[in-house]
Amino acid sequence: MAAEPGLSLAQDLCARLCHDLVGPLGTVAGAVEMVGDDPEAAELAREAALSLRGRLQLWRAACGAGTGPMKPPDMAALLEGNLAGGRASLALGALPPGESFAAPVAQLLLVGAMLGGEALPRGGVVHLLPQGGGVAVRPEGRVLNWPPALAAALAGEPAEGPRAVLAPLLAQLAGAAGWQARLTEEALLLHPLS
């Protein structure tokens, strides 16, 4: 028996969160065990704890209730070190730093940027650029490969599994924000519904 779509998305999101957080947590645990034997272990534990904290803050802002309005520099701070496993960085382009995005739109942009990072398996830069009243997420790197689940989710097709969870989440966030998402070869275009 197949799970309900909402339940399936929740389960996939939980699995994805656990996957993303278990690595830094394992590093913290291992480094703490070695603190007495290795003087570098405390620094390793500190770095891993900061990475874990950053990932938790990003996931909470992108998926959790209670996210408030956000400005581009706030979004950039959350995404720093968290795109493509740290292999990609964020460029805000010409987004006005003082512009404030309502919570549903901020969450949409965070998830869009995360998907832009996933499109860069070898790293690069994810650009957030103003475009026609909306925002274009434009990844730039040696290899650009949008997750296949993204096109499927935007076409209304099911995209299941922890690796694909950001795609249906983006589609649902766009609907909740009153925005639409469209994928081109070079960019994910996010615009308010007319």
Side-chain angles (χ1 to χ4, degrees):
M1 176 183 234
E4 291 292 320
L7 176 60
S8 180
L9 180 62
Q11 290 171 330
D12 289 343
L13 182 58
C14 287
R16 173 68 186 261
L17 272 166
C18 291
H19 176 269
D20 278 8
L21 301 178
V22 76
L25 186 56
T27 302
V28 170
V32 168
E33 287 178 13
M34 298 173 17
V35 166
D37 300 330
D38 184 355
E40 295 178 6
E43 181 60 22
L44 181 63
R46 188 185 75 72
E47 288 173 10
L50 287 173
S51 173
L52 184 59
R53 180 179 183 216
R55 288 182 190 191
L56 281 168
Q57 288 174 327
L58 172 59
W59 280 104
R60 180 183 65 198
C63 305
T67 297
M70 296 184 80
K71 295 181 179 181
D74 300 327
M75 290 186 283
L78 287 169
L79 291 162
E80 184 177 339
N82 287 313
L83 294 176
R87 295 180 307 279
S89 61
L90 181 72
L92 294 175
L95 283 182
E99 183 174 354
S100 186
F101 292 97
V105 176
Q107 289 180 308
L108 175 64
L109 296 178
L110 288 170
V111 171
M114 292 166 74
L115 280 161
E118 288 190 359
L120 297 170
R122 295 199 172 176
V125 178
V126 176
H127 298 273
L128 293 183
L129 305 164
Q131 183 166 342
V135 176
V137 178
R138 188 176 306 271
E140 180 181 33
R142 289 187 301 164
V143 177
L144 173 58
N145 187 20
W146 287 105
L150 181 55
L154 294 179
E157 299 170 16
E160 295 182 8
R163 298 281 307 148
V165 74
L166 288 176
L169 182 60
L170 179 101
Q172 288 194 12
L173 286 170
W179 282 45
Q180 62 185 352
R182 186 170 56 88
L183 185 62
T184 68
E185 196 171 307
E186 292 111 17
L188 172 62
L189 305 175
L190 305 169
H191 294 275
L193 290 170
S194 307

